Amino acid sequence: MAILEILTYPDARLKQESLPVEQFDDELRAFLADLEQTMLAGPGGVGIAAPQVGRFRRIVIVDCSRTRKPVPNHGRLFIVNPEITAWEGMTSGREGCMSVPDYTGNVIRAEKISLSYHDAHGKLQQLDAEGYEARAIQHEIDHLDGLLFLDRLVSRRNDLFRRKVYQPTPEQQPKT
Amino acid sequence: MNHWYMLTLVGKDRPGIVAKVTAALYDGGCNLGEASMMRLGGTFTIMLMVDFERSSKALIDLISPVAESLDLHLHLDRIEGRLHQHVEPDARVTVYGADRAGIVAKVTGALAEAGFNITDLESMVGGSEDKPIYVMQIEGTAAEGIESLQAAVDVIRKEGVEAHMEPIETLIG
Ligand SMILES: [Zn+2]
């Protein structure tokens, strides 16, 4: 196994669209092992996409099982040829990227998604993800379409407050 | 060798301030670093990192004509650049209320005591003239942990200030 080199913006290749995987062979699985090693070697990464290491195929890994604060998750996922089939809700959250060092920003993502994909052996899989894991999957799939979180930045200033004011949580309801 | 400066410009807001100031700096051979430019009340404020190869005197000579033409008060400090060393905030505190006398000091004092280092604070006055609403958003790092920060926010709430804390879980992917 090997730790692969991460492309960093402004490398133009990060803006390139990736192609579907057609062969589910040992070479693919060896690549997935390297990709996972590379993700684990990075600072706190919960996901990685193949184009981040210069392989322009529709392959991502997401692993939200080791976050500081535990979140609902499906463990380590090898996701090949993903398709998001349903979106629900919207939520703002802070994102950064191994390909964009020393910058983070707020991005709006769907709160819940349904995903169909192939696993490492080419078997069709389906899962529903929410919250942080859904955000990670959407961030990684964006890489396959040549999109960075920088393409989806929203104001740091207002979005959260608006959300809080217009949809108060029970604890924030005015006391009567 | 180049030097970093912090250029502060403050004056009555009017159209074209940012474009004219940044054009003058660009034409004078400056590179820009990080900046905060915003309207506070009727005043436009600029704090701008400027990378310039000459002296502070030369930079003042360069920017004075445009500052004077726009009625901006100018202040310049020599600084260390220290780019690419962002501190990632891990908590956000939102505060709002009708009463603003003392609210900032009260809240930030309690947060500091709980080990909260502020990286970013923005406050706005909304509402109407006779019923102003004060809104403050603070981001920072909870050096003594999120629990200690939450406890401080709970105390602030008991004292009648609407305050809410949420952890910032930055996703790196
Ligand atoms: Zn990324």
Side-chain angles (χ1 to χ4, degrees):
Chain A
M1 285 195 287
I3 291 170
L4 308 168
E5 193 192 333
I6 302 258
L7 305 184
T8 55
Y9 190 78
D11 193 313
R13 288 174 290 173
L14 288 166
K15 308 295 281 182
Q16 177 177 332
E17 204 173 318
S18 292
L19 299 170
V21 170
E22 277 151 14
Q23 305 262 79
F24 293 82
D25 52 14
D26 287 345
E27 195 278 329
L28 173 69
R29 289 180 284 277
F31 171 71
L32 280 163
D34 287 347
L35 193 61
E36 183 178 17
Q37 282 292 104
T38 307
M39 176 182 82
L40 294 173
V46 294
I48 191 167
Q52 287 181 281
V53 297
R55 178 156 164 156
F56 302 96
R57 292 286 172 173
R58 303 188 77 80
I59 301 167
V60 309
I61 300 177
V62 167
D63 184 354
C64 294
S65 66
R66 299 167 306 116
T67 52
R68 186 178 55 169
K69 194 179 109 197
V71 294
N73 72 87
H74 292 82
R76 192 263 283 127
L77 295 166
F78 287 161
I79 298 171
V80 181
N81 299 340
E83 295 287 344
I84 297 176
T85 55
W87 290 261
E88 195 187 317
M90 284 203 292
T91 174
S92 172
R94 185 81 61 117
E95 296 183 21
C97 180
M98 284 186 280
S99 297
V100 186
D102 199 42
Y103 184 79
T104 65
N106 288 334
V107 178
I108 308 273
R109 301 283 188 190
E111 170 73 32
K112 293 180 181 175
I113 56 167
S114 300
L115 182 76
S116 72
Y117 63 99
H118 290 100
D119 64 18
H121 298 277
K123 188 162 170 256
L124 195 61
Q125 303 280 356
Q126 208 277 329
L127 67 78
D128 295 331
E130 63 178 76
Y132 198 81
E133 187 181 48
R135 171 173 299 276
I137 292 169
Q138 291 169 81
H139 176 116
E140 300 312 332
I141 291 178
D142 266 356
H143 279 298
L144 306 182
D145 296 322
L147 290 170
L148 299 170
F149 77 99
L150 300 176
D151 294 302
R152 298 191 187 274
L153 285 179
V154 295
S155 161
R156 284 207 297 172
R157 214 179 155 106
N158 290 318
D159 63 310
L160 285 152
F161 179 67
R162 289 213 180 98
R163 178 165 64 93
K164 292 281 177 240
V165 170
Y166 296 126
Q167 298 174 12
T169 53
E171 57 163 41
Q172 285 185 298
Q173 300 283 3
K175 291 154 203 96
T176 49
Chain B
M1 207 196 108
N2 282 25
H3 311 294
W4 282 103
Y5 297 93
M6 185 65 76
L7 172 65
T8 309
L9 292 161
V10 177
K12 187 162 173 254
D13 193 18
R14 58 164 82 185
I17 291 177
V18 175
K20 284 175 185 148
V21 167
T22 52
L25 291 168
Y26 175 72
D27 292 342
C30 300
N31 287 311
L32 306 185
E34 298 186 324
S36 155
M37 305 191 192
M38 61 176 72
R39 189 181 150 105
L40 302 175
T43 302
F44 199 75
T45 68
I46 295 178
M47 298 203 72
L48 176 58
M49 288 176 69
V50 177
D51 178 26
F52 188 54
E53 62 183 0
R54 293 166 59 204
S55 67
S56 56
K57 165 93 175 43
L59 185 51
I60 287 173
D61 289 346
L62 174 69
I63 202 68
S64 285
V66 67
E68 272 161 33
S69 76
L70 293 164
D71 253 334
L72 298 171
H73 176 75
L74 181 162
H75 179 84
L76 192 69
D77 292 296
R78 180 80 181 271
I79 57 166
E80 289 176 50
R82 298 206 182 206
L83 289 171
H84 315 295
Q85 297 176 27
H86 286 117
V87 174
E88 194 53 43
D90 59 12
R92 175 186 300 108
V93 177
T94 305
V95 178
Y96 68 95
D99 170 31
R100 63 179 152 148
I103 201 174
V104 180
K106 178 186 264 186
V107 170
T108 54
L111 298 180
E113 212 157 287
F116 192 52
N117 297 319
I118 295 173
T119 54
D120 192 313
L121 183 153
E122 287 182 336
S123 64
M124 303 282 272
V125 181
S128 59
E129 207 143 310
D130 56 332
K131 286 186 187 167
I133 313 164
Y134 193 75
V135 182
M136 182 161 57
Q137 291 191 83
I138 312 171
E139 290 183 354
T141 54
E144 286 167 28
I146 293 286
E147 294 72 23
S148 146
L149 181 60
Q150 182 63 61
V153 169
D154 290 343
V155 171
I156 294 167
R157 288 163 64 96
K158 283 212 184 77
E159 290 171 11
V161 178
E162 292 289 347
H164 178 78
M165 191 282 292
E166 67 179 293
I168 301 174
E169 299 282 347
T170 302
L171 183 152
I172 307 291

